[in-house]
Amino acid sequence: YDGYEDLTQDQCQDYASSHEPYGGDARWVDEPKGCHIYRCRAYFNIANLGARNIHSAPVCKRSISNTLPPQENPESYLVMNARTNRCADGYEPLTPAECNMYTCSINRPSYEAGNWPDDPKGCIISYGEDKIVYFNEHSTGVGNNDYRPVCKPSHQFILDGPKNIVRTAVNAPDGVVLSPPTDYRLSFTIKPLGTISEFGNIIQFTTGDPMNKAPAIFFSKGSTKLYIQISTVSFPDPFPTHQSINLELNKSHDVVLMVVGSTSTLSINGTPEVKSITARSQYAKLDVYVGSPWYEPANAIISDIKFFPTPTVSHSFHKDPLEIVRAAGLES
């Protein structure tokens, strides 16, 4: 699986010592190869090939080069209300593997997957006597009183687009990020169509206070120079962290803002510029506006917006984040 590596047998046992009971090793042709979880126990399959299995989830470690957002701890998952068929703002659906592992965190090892058009889609839990966790593979599903969606906190924001930037209504953000990271990567593609006399807002992450910019990105007055601000609680309207050169009109430009520690790096079309920044603040929640309600919108088209935590990676196995990759659809 891209971005992850197999565990050795010793590493699998180390994982089991702090997570799940270790069930042993053997050669199983119908289970994923290597380290995997089955019914809340860790096993090591010494078969060279193995097979995908909806009831078993491979356990892998993050590769050094992996830039994907880290996975959530199952203890942070939240059961939605009855008669709902979606995750609440600030939450996102679970993958089949995450749904499978949720059974272990709540001590309900029964797990089933299927296609049920009359139940909520994705990971759901029944509220009858059995209280079984299911994964509904139906593409739409429907809410009811018997099953409730299970979702995870979203520490990321993704919007594919393309979208013409317009002024968004107050209290109608394009997304919500819970417990947003202080180390993060924000990327997007922007196509400037013209300039305006005021600062033209592109995107703003905010607590809801118009002054709060965590971060906010604009075009400077009368130009297509990127103007970036990163707020703190004590300094909500800071000096710009970055001011770029003019971006060529009617041409798409790839923009990446990487914030790690006291350093921010702005890259435009692959060319980086590194700056020092002030200390960042930890917020409980940020609203995401593509086109701020409080500023004039930039005259531009934006697409491929991605905001997620910058993963911390160690060369030591014992410090590497171990993650359940998939429970279904993985060719082993």
Side-chain angles (χ1 to χ4, degrees), residues 195-257:
T195 62
I196 63 173
S197 59
E198 302 296 323
F199 282 101
N201 182 260
I202 298 170
I203 189 169
Q204 182 173 356
F205 292 72
T206 175
T207 58
D209 179 350
M211 297 290 288
N212 181 261
K213 306 172 184 73
I217 301 180
F218 301 81
F219 281 143
S220 291
K221 296 179 179 181
S223 76
T224 58
K225 297 177 180 179
L226 291 177
Y227 182 98
I228 298 175
Q229 291 178 285
I230 301 175
S231 295
T232 64
V233 171
S234 58
F235 196 12
D237 192 26
F239 295 110
T241 304
H242 292 273
Q243 294 188 81
S244 75
I245 61 172
N246 274 303
L247 305 187
E248 185 178 342
L249 291 175
N250 301 308
K251 179 180 178 181
S252 294
H253 303 270
D254 294 327
V255 178
V256 177
L257 176 65

Side-chain angles (χ1 to χ4, degrees), residues 54 57 94-101 111 113 123 135 137 325-328:
I54 189 63
L94 304 187
T95 66
E98 291 168 336
C99 188
N100 193 336
M101 293 310 301
Y111 173 80
C123 189
F135 191 88
E137 298 170 347
V325 179
R326 298 184 68 176

Side-chain angles (χ1 to χ4, degrees), residues 90-227:
Y91 289 82
E92 59 187 79
L94 304 187
T95 66
E98 291 168 336
C99 188
N100 193 336
M101 293 310 301
Y102 176 66
T103 63
C104 299
S105 69
I106 58 174
N107 196 27
R108 293 173 182 165
S110 296
Y111 173 80
E112 297 181 16
N115 193 306
W116 303 288
D118 297 326
D119 295 322
K121 63 183 178 181
C123 189
I124 56 178
I125 186 169
S126 67
Y127 267 69
E129 293 182 0
D130 54 356
K131 295 186 178 179
I132 296 175
V133 176
Y134 300 86
F135 191 88
N136 186 5
E137 298 170 347
H138 196 269
S139 59
T140 57
V142 64
N144 60 40
N145 285 323
D146 298 324
Y147 300 92
R148 302 185 185 187
V150 181
C151 303
K152 62 183 177 181
S154 179
H155 305 306
Q156 60 186 31
F157 172 76
I158 297 175
L159 191 151
D160 294 331
K163 176 180 179 179
N164 284 88
I165 299 174
V166 297
R167 179 176 289 196
T168 309
V170 177
N171 297 325
D174 293 277
V176 175
V177 182
L178 297 180
S179 300
T182 54
D183 290 348
Y184 57 84
R185 184 182 192 272
L186 170 62
S187 63
F188 56 87
T189 299
I190 187 109
K191 183 179 181 180
L193 302 178
T195 62
I196 63 173
S197 59
E198 302 296 323
F199 282 101
N201 182 260
I202 298 170
I203 189 169
Q204 182 173 356
F205 292 72
T206 175
T207 58
D209 179 350
M211 297 290 288
N212 181 261
K213 306 172 184 73
I217 301 180
F218 301 81
F219 281 143
S220 291
K221 296 179 179 181
S223 76
T224 58
K225 297 177 180 179
L226 291 177
Y227 182 98

